[in-house]
Amino acid sequence: MGFDALIKIVEQDLVKPELLSIFDAVGMMESLLETIELLSFNLCFLQAFFEECKTKMNDGDLWAKLLYEDIRDKLATSYENYKIEYKLRKIYLGCNCIIGSKVYLGATRKFGCKQLHQTLKKVVIDIEEVKELILAEKKRIALEPEEENITVLDTYQNALEPENEVIVGFDSDIEKIINRLSYSHLMRSIFTILRNSNSKQFRKYVENPELKLQVTPLVGEGGIGKTTLAKRVYGHPITIACFQIRAWVVVSQVHNLKEMLIGLLRCISPITSEIYNIDDAQIAEQLCRSLMGRKYLIFLDDIWTTAAWDAIQGCFPDNCNGSQILVTTRFTKVAKYLSTNPYHVKYQTFDDSWELFSRKVFGQRQSVTWEDDLIGKRIVHLCSGLPLAVVVIAGLLVTAKESLEIWRDVEKTLGGVDRYDNNNRVSKVLSLSYNYLPSHLKACFHYFGVFPEDNVIPVKRLINLWVAEGFLMQRKKMRLEAVAEGYLHDLINRSLIQINELCIDGKVKSCKIHDRVHEVCVREAIKENALCIINDNHAPRASHWLSCQTRHWPITRASYRNCTLDKIHSVLCFGKDVYHSKCKLLYPCMKLLRVLDLSLVKCSQGMPSEITDLVHLKYLALSTIGSLYKLRFLKLKNLLTLIVTSWMEKCPLHLPCDILGLQQLRHLHVDKRCSQYLPCLVKKNLQTLHWLKIASSYNEKPNFRMVPNLKELGIYIEGQLEPSYLEGLVYLHRLEKLKFEVGRIEQFCLPTGFPPNLKKLTLRYTYLPWKEMDTIGKLRHLEVLKLKDFAFCGSKWEPSKRGFRELKTLLISRSNLKHWHSSSNHFPVLEHLVLRYCWELKEVPPTFSNIGTLKLIVLECCYSSLVTSADKLLFKGKAGSPLRVCKVGTKVELPIIERSEGESVESSEEESIESSKQRLKARKSVMKYMKKKVPKSMNALKELTEERRK
């Protein structure tokens, strides 16, 4: 009754000429018409929703019936309470009354109009609340297929979250922002009904505000949690379900348009390093094309200026389909430039701050001393609701639990900061944490200032730099690299450094530093005269570390003419578009260099020969094309780390073959196709060798006895080898990580023996039959196994009964495996299972529900039947099982074939491929297989997408 009566009032009573003339006479007609139009749209929206409910009710949907009746009852109650018809009569009666003065009549008429107008606005508010109820129900339905332990992610790396990461107090904000971003998607069925109606007067409501490209800036001061909040929204299951494409990039204080474009494009489609050779306009056009016609979410993190937005906004087409752009910024001016309705991120409540502090400092402790509790709460109160201040102070105090003196010092220092001066408060907090750092950590902490703001820092690179700089204190029976890992984890536990990405085995792969903490790093390092940042705003000056962040080579004779020899120890270049031809690169002031990192400088025509005169170098990274045969690397007798790569894939490098003769060398990274000979004399220091090229044309087998302490080895194979060719691997007793990748070869055979203490094995393009897995299964200490790009081929795999006793992580990426017959006994301690692009596999072995250690299954670009089989494991598993199933499908990549020969795998029921003739036949049909299976993979993705949309 109420809803139909409201429709009649809006369509008939409120638009009568008599009523409009009355409102016009009192100067309220324009506001009345606006309210009528808004009320009309809302009622039309509800009418479309009721039609949707009726359709579902006809199909027997009981929940739709209950919701339909509940909402109609609410509207009936609202209609009865507001007595709109009675107020309409009062207005007409007031106008027809002949008694009283004109002034009295005018006042009565105006009062009646105001009363009716206010009532109509209240009805609009009530209907808006009903729409919120509908939105909440739509969200519930969207999430209904996802059980408690089932999540949806964009990449399998995002499933590997740091276990110690604590997020508190953002639930309400996440819900509000998701409502903004996902409204058009969740209400799409209602919008479809509206769009198909003949009611033109509502067209602008359907097609304009909700579906046009919208920008949502999250604004708040540094350290308030904008990025954390935005990432939670970006990775939320509803967000993933709502958008076909999601991409994000960090913009930073000094924006770089090319980096922004490439960062976004990398999230959408596969790219290679060649993209850096294309100009900005072409990359922008490529990005725009990839977004055209698609519903997308773009996340631009940490925008500082309107110029950064102006530079990139033209790449985002308005597809009128509900696409969204999410932005974080410290500056209200920037936020208002982007949108008239920015979202202001609020400070944490005291309760949330205390929970965050307690979980970081006290962990799982059941009881806390009254003194810790009292001082702790005072400290938290003085943090004024800034999460960054809370976690950094907690990181300091967790290392000083037994020292009340430090707790009291923290309280006293924070108490001296003006209550409303949050900028100074964060600085004080960070300075406190820095001042209490042990002396051996301060230099390591300073070194993060060398890296540009918001830079993602690979941990291996960082550790090798620390070793070269001499920051580490030698400990008995510990490698320097292990000491460095301990230092890094100490800084992470103090919340000064953040984990960016984990390896599949749970180790930290890359890290980053909050920009407020980075400011402290830079400030303190410059104060110690240790750091000089060379960019467009800072001229070169002599310091221990030169961080070059420009697009040109900044070191010239003029800039360092008067510099003494002992000033400059390290030069690291971070400009992505720096090209350098064969000209003067080094000057006398750099003779004592320890670190020279030119990995991002694109050098042509080889490298200047004077580099080998830098005999004090301990770390050298080069990126070049051409021949380096004439460079006398053996002169660099102190070198610990050498990295030499080609910046153009079509131009392989040519290096001297005797580089491994360097006596102190610990880590060597060269391109796969670079030939290197193992040394003739024992080199005890060498720990990492990527890559060692092995070819059938080599006369002698590699003598691995010469590198007895090797811990990581990557072998690239070209040409046919006998199984015994690599038998020397058994002498590598310290080797823990081994990679095999195959180039031009008819048949690859596993070595007759493996290193006895191998923990991590990766195979790529090896095309082995699954029965060969029995050999790998016998490796007693193997913990991580990665099978990439048809490492194994064939439709059936049945592991042997006594294999993989210690395997914790298994990754299979791109495989034609159909039937996997396995039991929990085959993988008794498995923790992580990752299946990527396994287009033929329909089922995870059901017996995996009995593996008590299994924590995580990640499925990327697989059929929905495989997802369903994994979901079933949750319900069959043991009580209290920690298992999570993560479905990944938003980041779509087609298979990448790196070789031009066009090899493939032929699906076959027979597991034995005994002869090389049969193997060659299997390999030569790769393109045929790919053409057949790639469309299937896309169909699988569509299935997953449709499943989430239902």
Side-chain angles (χ1 to χ4, degrees):
M1 172 65 187
F3 178 73
D4 296 330
L6 281 172
I7 291 284
K8 173 185 171 295
I9 288 171
V10 172
E11 292 184 350
Q12 298 178 24
D13 299 341
L14 293 180
V15 293
K16 285 183 177 179
E18 301 96 316
L19 183 68
L20 295 177
S21 65
I22 294 170
F23 270 82
D24 191 27
V26 298
M28 293 181 61
M29 187 172 75
E30 189 174 338
S31 58
L32 174 67
L33 290 174
E34 287 177 2
T35 305
I36 291 172
E37 190 174 21
L38 190 57
L39 185 58
S40 297
F41 168 68
N42 280 300
L43 289 172
C44 191
F45 179 95
L46 287 179
Q47 196 166 24
F49 170 72
F50 289 146
E51 285 185 35
E52 181 188 27
C53 281
K54 287 175 183 176
T55 303
K56 291 182 178 180
M57 287 158 60
N58 291 336
D59 293 335
D61 191 328
L62 181 60
W63 191 258
K65 182 182 178 184
L66 293 172
L67 189 63
Y68 175 85
E69 292 173 351
D70 183 46
I71 289 176
R72 287 193 73 96
D73 288 345
K74 287 181 186 296
L75 290 172
T77 303
S78 178
Y79 172 74
E80 289 173 9
N81 290 341
Y82 290 128
K83 301 177 181 176
I84 299 173
E85 290 175 325
Y86 168 73
K87 290 171 183 175
L88 274 170
R89 284 198 302 272
K90 278 182 66 176
I91 292 174
Y92 286 124
L93 286 172
C95 291
N96 295 329
C97 184
I98 58 174
I99 301 172
S101 66
K102 289 185 178 181
V103 175
Y104 174 77
L105 289 174
T108 304
R109 187 165 51 191
K110 190 166 187 177
F111 175 77
C113 289
K114 279 187 176 179
Q115 195 179 36
L116 177 62
H117 186 237
Q118 290 297 324
T119 299
L120 293 176
K121 291 202 309 192
K122 288 179 181 177
V123 174
V124 171
I125 292 171
D126 284 354
I127 296 177
E128 291 287 349
E129 290 177 357
V130 168
K131 286 171 68 178
E132 287 295 319
L133 179 66
I134 294 170
L135 179 63
E137 177 59 20
K138 294 274 186 182
K139 283 166 62 181
R140 185 194 67 77
I141 293 170
L143 286 173
E144 196 171 47
E146 310 299 338
E147 300 295 337
E148 183 179 355
N149 290 326
I150 306 174
T151 55
V152 183
L153 299 156
D154 54 342
T155 63
Y156 79 86
Q157 285 89 351
N158 288 346
L160 307 168
E161 293 183 351
E163 292 183 1
N164 63 344
E165 187 177 21
V166 180
I167 307 292
V168 174
F170 283 126
D171 292 346
S172 174
D173 296 284
I174 290 170
E175 183 176 1
K176 289 175 184 175
I177 297 167
I178 286 175
N179 285 350
R180 275 202 199 188
L181 300 180
S182 62
Y183 186 80
S184 65
H185 173 80
L186 295 172
M187 299 298 193
R188 65 194 183 282
S189 55
I190 297 173
F191 279 122
T192 300
I193 294 171
L194 283 171
R195 192 180 291 107
N196 294 337
S197 70
N198 295 320
S199 185
K200 294 181 181 178
Q201 69 186 101
F202 306 124
R203 186 72 61 186
K204 71 174 184 177
Y205 284 102
V206 178
E207 295 182 350
N208 219 5
E210 307 298 349
L211 298 181
K212 277 196 169 296
L213 179 64
Q214 294 186 25
V215 181
T216 301
L218 309 186
V219 62
E221 67 178 271
I224 205 168
K226 302 181 296 296
T227 298
T228 301
L229 172 59
K231 282 186 176 180
R232 292 287 159 176
V233 170
Y234 182 86
H236 195 279
I238 285 182
T239 308
I240 293 171
C242 286
F243 298 95
Q244 297 169 297
I245 290 176
R246 291 174 307 124
W248 79 299
V249 72
V250 180
V251 179
S252 295
Q253 187 169 355
V254 181
H255 73 274
N256 181 321
L257 179 59
K258 176 168 278 190
E259 285 300 310
M260 292 161 62
L261 295 170
I262 292 174
L264 292 172
L265 204 52
R266 185 180 286 114
C267 296
I268 299 168
S269 59
I271 60 174
T272 67
S273 58
E274 299 290 327
I275 198 166
Y276 284 99
N277 302 327
I278 304 173
D279 64 48
D280 293 1
Q282 289 177 294
I283 303 174
E285 184 182 353
Q286 190 175 339
L287 174 62
C288 187
R289 277 202 312 269
S290 66
L291 297 174
M292 196 70 71
R294 311 288 295 279
K295 187 175 181 182
Y296 60 84
L297 171 65
I298 300 294
F299 172 24
L300 303 176
D301 190 21
D302 196 23
I303 283 190
W304 283 64
T305 63
T306 57
W309 170 251
D310 290 339
I312 198 170
Q313 67 165 322
C315 299
F316 307 134
D318 187 355
N319 299 323
C320 292
N321 60 359
S323 292
Q324 300 275 347
I325 298 173
L326 188 63
V327 174
T328 63
T329 181
R330 293 188 195 182
F331 307 101
T332 304
K333 179 183 176 182
V334 174
K336 288 184 176 178
Y337 182 80
L338 270 59
S339 170
T340 56
N341 187 26
Y343 187 91
H344 293 271
V345 182
K346 299 179 178 64
Y347 296 105
Q348 276 191 328
T349 64
F350 174 80
D351 289 341
D352 286 337
S353 294
W354 175 245
E355 182 185 351
L356 180 60
F357 179 87
S358 300
R359 287 168 65 179
K360 295 284 284 186
V361 176
F362 305 124
Q364 303 299 319
R365 280 164 57 182
Q366 297 296 317
S367 61
V368 180
T369 66
W370 69 269
E371 198 162 13
D372 284 351
D373 184 80
L374 182 63
I375 299 176
K377 285 182 176 176
R378 287 178 190 160
I379 290 171
V380 168
H381 177 73
L382 292 169
C383 288
S384 298
L386 278 173
L388 178 64
V390 174
V391 296
V392 172
I393 284 295
L396 166 60
L397 297 181
V398 77
T399 63
K401 290 179 184 176
E402 310 303 323
S403 175
L404 277 175
E405 183 182 343
I406 295 179
W407 285 59
R408 287 173 180 147
D409 183 36
V410 169
E411 181 190 4
K412 181 180 177 182
T413 304
L414 292 180
V417 180
D418 185 273
R419 181 180 177 185
Y420 300 103
D421 190 358
N422 278 328
N423 191 50
N424 189 31
R425 187 180 312 280
V426 173
S427 296
K428 286 284 186 184
V429 165
L430 296 173
S431 295
L432 266 173
S433 189
Y434 169 77
N435 291 336
Y436 277 110
L437 272 179
S439 57
H440 66 274
L441 288 181
K442 284 192 174 178
C444 295
F445 179 67
H446 287 164
Y447 207 73
F448 282 94
V450 169
F451 298 92
E453 182 183 311
D454 293 318
N455 199 249
V456 173
I457 306 165
V459 166
K460 286 184 179 179
R461 180 189 184 191
L462 178 69
I463 286 175
N464 290 340
L465 285 167
W466 282 355
V467 171
E469 295 284 3
F471 295 156
L472 311 171
M473 298 167 59
Q474 185 72 59
R475 297 181 185 174
K476 288 184 179 180
K477 297 182 180 179
M478 281 188 72
R479 296 180 303 116
L480 287 173
E481 288 78 6
V483 174
E485 285 181 22
Y487 285 11
L488 178 60
H489 281 286
D490 199 345
L491 291 170
I492 290 170
N493 291 336
R494 291 171 182 268
S495 298
L496 292 173
I497 304 302
Q498 302 170 339
I499 296 173
N500 180 69
E501 185 181 348
L502 295 175
C503 297
I504 194 171
D505 57 0
K507 292 185 178 179
V508 182
K509 185 175 184 178
S510 62
C511 60
K512 60 185 178 180
I513 183 168
H514 193 282
D515 50 7
R516 294 298 301 269
V517 184
H518 186 264
E519 290 169 10
V520 175
C521 277
V522 172
R523 184 186 69 218
E524 295 298 331
I526 290 175
K527 189 189 296 183
E528 297 285 334
N529 199 30
L531 171 65
C532 173
I533 296 175
I534 305 172
N535 55 30
D536 296 335
N537 301 320
H538 298 87
R541 63 177 178 79
S543 293
H544 288 330
W545 312 322
L546 299 186
S547 177
C548 306
Q549 300 175 22
T550 63
R551 290 194 176 190
H552 56 84
W553 182 245
I555 301 174
T556 63
R557 185 182 299 277
S559 60
Y560 287 94
R561 182 179 300 163
N562 300 319
C563 179
T564 58
L565 286 177
D566 61 343
K567 279 288 184 182
I568 303 175
H569 291 173
S570 306
V571 176
L572 297 93
C573 187
F574 296 96
K576 289 289 178 69
D577 284 328
V578 181
Y579 290 85
H580 196 276
S581 58
K582 194 171 184 180
C583 60
K584 191 71 174 176
L585 183 72
L586 305 171
Y587 297 94
C589 62
M590 303 169 70
K591 284 289 185 182
L592 298 182
L593 274 186
R594 295 178 189 167
V595 170
L596 181 59
D597 190 337
L598 304 179
S599 55
L600 297 179
V601 178
K602 298 171 182 175
C603 299
S604 57
Q605 304 175 40
M607 292 295 296
S609 59
E610 65 263 26
I611 278 185
T612 56
D613 294 329
L614 301 174
V615 295
H616 297 280
L617 272 182
K618 294 188 176 183
Y619 183 104
L620 176 60
L622 306 172
S623 179
T624 184
I625 54 175
S627 174
L628 298 181
Y629 270 133
K630 294 181 180 180
L631 279 188
R632 299 168 63 191
F633 283 101
L634 293 183
K635 290 173 66 177
L636 304 174
K637 295 184 179 181
N638 293 297
L639 202 60
L640 303 177
T641 299
L642 176 61
I643 303 168
V644 189
T645 58
S646 170
W647 54 268
M648 192 177 292
E649 292 181 8
K650 297 177 181 178
C651 299
L653 275 177
H654 300 283
L655 294 173
C657 297
D658 59 354
I659 290 177
L660 289 173
L662 287 164
Q663 191 64 39
Q664 300 297 323
L665 195 65
R666 301 168 77 93
H667 308 284
L668 176 65
H669 297 264
V670 294
D671 282 351
K672 293 169 187 172
R673 291 173 175 83
C674 289
S675 297
Q676 283 298 312
Y677 297 139
L678 289 177
C680 300
L681 301 174
V682 175
K683 304 298 178 186
K684 292 185 177 181
N685 291 314
L686 193 65
Q687 298 176 25
T688 306
L689 175 52
H690 286 288
W691 291 80
L692 178 65
K693 179 180 172 182
I694 304 289
S696 56
S697 58
Y698 296 174
N699 295 324
E700 296 183 6
K701 297 177 183 179
N703 185 0
F704 291 107
R705 293 174 188 259
M706 297 295 104
V707 285
N709 295 323
L710 209 57
K711 292 185 72 68
E712 295 185 34
L713 173 62
I715 297 178
Y716 180 76
I717 298 175
E718 280 193 349
Q720 194 65 40
L721 301 178
E722 292 295 325
S724 62
Y725 196 85
L726 297 174
E727 61 187 4
L729 287 171
V730 297
Y731 300 113
L732 296 176
H733 292 274
R734 295 179 182 269
L735 194 75
E736 294 181 354
K737 298 181 181 180
L738 177 61
K739 293 183 180 180
F740 285 110
E741 184 167 333
V742 171
R744 291 183 289 270
I745 181 175
E746 291 184 3
Q747 178 180 355
F748 171 75
C749 299
L750 287 174
T752 53
F754 279 89
N757 296 303
L758 192 64
K759 292 183 178 179
K760 188 173 181 179
L761 177 63
T762 302
L763 300 172
R764 190 173 185 218
Y765 292 127
T766 49
Y767 299 95
L768 290 162
W770 285 105
K771 70 171 187 175
E772 295 287 342
M773 281 290 282
D774 292 348
T775 301
I776 296 173
K778 294 174 184 176
L779 299 176
R780 291 183 298 172
H781 302 288
L782 191 66
E783 296 178 359
V784 177
L785 177 60
K786 296 182 181 181
L787 309 176
K788 298 182 177 182
D789 298 306
F790 302 100
F792 283 78
C793 60
S795 61
K796 183 179 177 183
W797 177 27
E798 187 169 350
S800 64
K801 294 182 179 179
R802 303 187 62 82
F804 303 106
R805 311 314 295 169
E806 298 295 327
L807 193 69
K808 296 178 181 177
T809 301
L810 173 61
L811 178 145
I812 305 176
S813 178
R814 293 193 176 91
S815 167
N816 66 329
L817 179 64
K818 280 186 179 180
H819 309 289
W820 185 5
H821 302 297
S822 179
S823 73
S824 57
N825 294 329
H826 294 142
F827 304 94
V829 296
L830 191 67
E831 296 178 1
H832 303 120
L833 173 63
V834 181
L835 302 174
R836 308 178 68 214
Y837 304 96
C838 294
W839 307 307
E840 296 295 314
L841 190 62
K842 300 297 192 296
E843 183 181 58
V844 175
T847 53
F848 276 23
S849 61
N850 297 322
I851 302 177
T853 55
L854 192 57
K855 297 177 183 177
L856 178 67
I857 298 176
V858 182
L859 307 173
E860 181 173 1
C861 292
C862 301
Y863 276 113
S864 56
S865 58
L866 184 63
V867 175
T868 302
S869 72
D871 291 351
K872 289 178 181 177
L873 299 185
L874 293 169
F875 306 104
K876 292 181 180 179
K878 298 176 181 178
S881 170
L883 177 61
R884 290 188 303 132
V885 175
C886 298
K887 299 180 281 189
V888 181
T890 56
K891 203 169 181 183
V892 182
E893 295 179 12
L894 290 176
I896 303 167
I897 305 298
E898 294 193 352
R899 296 187 300 284
S900 59
E901 285 76 27
E903 309 89 354
S904 186
V905 179
E906 185 177 12
S907 267
S908 171
E909 292 298 326
E910 297 180 7
E911 281 304 308
S912 110
I913 309 177
E914 297 292 339
S915 69
S916 60
K917 183 176 180 181
Q918 288 174 299
R919 181 72 62 86
L920 184 60
K921 179 182 177 182
R923 292 172 54 75
K924 283 185 176 178
S925 61
V926 174
M927 291 311 296
K928 179 181 177 182
Y929 177 82
M930 288 300 199
K931 287 176 183 176
K932 176 184 176 184
K933 301 305 177 191
V934 168
K936 284 193 174 184
S937 73
M938 300 309 296
N939 290 334
L941 286 174
K942 288 178 183 176
E943 283 184 33
L944 284 171
T945 305
E946 290 303 318
E947 184 184 328
R948 284 201 295 269
R949 288 177 177 172
K950 287 179 181 176

